[in-house]
């Protein structure tokens, strides 16, 4: 096996972009566990004063009737299952969960840092949401 010996120097934004791009490539392969792990790591690296998807989901008026802690646990269920040894021994991860994870990460990365792959994901995402909504 050949591994580069050079160090990799990154900013937080550069690392989040790299992880998000790797998550999108994993999505294309159907590796949803890898998607959730990488995308959620990217999301967690960045702070922003801008409105982002997790904030919208967490604070949406329609979920105010649910206990806040329970709702946040639900939003992070797949991420936490992959991250911690507790919980059930099996989990089904699907395309929708993976897409939400990537969307959460990209919403925290400023558009000025978006790459062509992220734009490609956005275009695909729009069509995917139309397909999901049509099935309802």
């Amino acid at each position: 096996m050949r591994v580069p010996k050079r160090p990799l120097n990154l900013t937080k934004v550069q690392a989040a972009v790299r992880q998000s791009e790797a998550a999108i490539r994993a999505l294309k392969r159907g590796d949803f566990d890898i998607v959730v792990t990488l995308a959620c790591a990217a999301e967690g690296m960045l702070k922003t004063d801008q409105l982002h998807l997790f904030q919208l989901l967490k604070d949406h008026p329609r979920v105010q009737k649910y206990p806040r802690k329970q709702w946040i646990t639900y939003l992070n269920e797949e991420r936490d299952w992959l991250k911690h040894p507790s919980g059930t021994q099996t989990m089904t991860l699907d395309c929708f969960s993976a897409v939400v994870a990537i969307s959460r990460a990209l919403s925290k990365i400023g558009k000025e840092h978006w790459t062509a792959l992220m734009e490609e994901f956005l275009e695909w995402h729009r069509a995917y949401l139309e397909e999901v909504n049509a099935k309802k």
Side-chain angles (χ1 to χ4, degrees), residues 20 39 42-43 46-57 99-112 114 118 121-122:
S20 296
E43 176 193 27
L46 302 175
K47 288 185 178 182
T48 181
D49 294 331
Q50 304 295 320
L51 191 60
H52 53 88
L53 184 56
F54 182 70
Q55 183 181 358
L56 285 170
L57 293 170
V99 169
V100 170
I102 293 171
S103 300
R104 283 172 56 170
L106 295 186
S107 73
K108 287 185 81 176
I109 296 172
K111 275 289 240 179
E112 68 274 13
W114 275 37
M118 293 173 181
F121 169 80
L122 180 61

Side-chain angles (χ1 to χ4, degrees), residues 13-70:
V13 170
Q14 289 169 330
V17 166
R18 289 169 52 92
Q19 289 176 342
S20 296
E21 285 191 324
I24 293 168
R25 288 190 292 276
L27 178 70
K28 290 180 176 185
R29 295 189 309 268
D31 293 333
F32 303 138
D33 57 328
I34 295 169
V35 173
V36 171
T37 301
L38 288 171
C40 289
E43 176 193 27
M45 293 176 69
L46 302 175
K47 288 185 178 182
T48 181
D49 294 331
Q50 304 295 320
L51 191 60
H52 53 88
L53 184 56
F54 182 70
Q55 183 181 358
L56 285 170
L57 293 170
K58 181 177 55 126
D59 299 332
H60 195 279
R62 288 186 180 171
V63 300
Q64 298 307 314
K65 61 185 174 188
Y66 299 104
R68 186 168 180 81
K69 185 175 179 181
Q70 181 182 353

Side-chain angles (χ1 to χ4, degrees), residues 96 99-100 103 122-136:
F96 186 79
V99 169
V100 170
S103 300
L122 180 61
E123 288 301 314
W124 173 86
H125 184 261
R126 287 181 178 135
Y128 173 75
L129 286 180
E130 288 179 16
E131 179 184 321
V132 168
N133 285 328
K135 291 180 180 177
K136 288 184 176 181

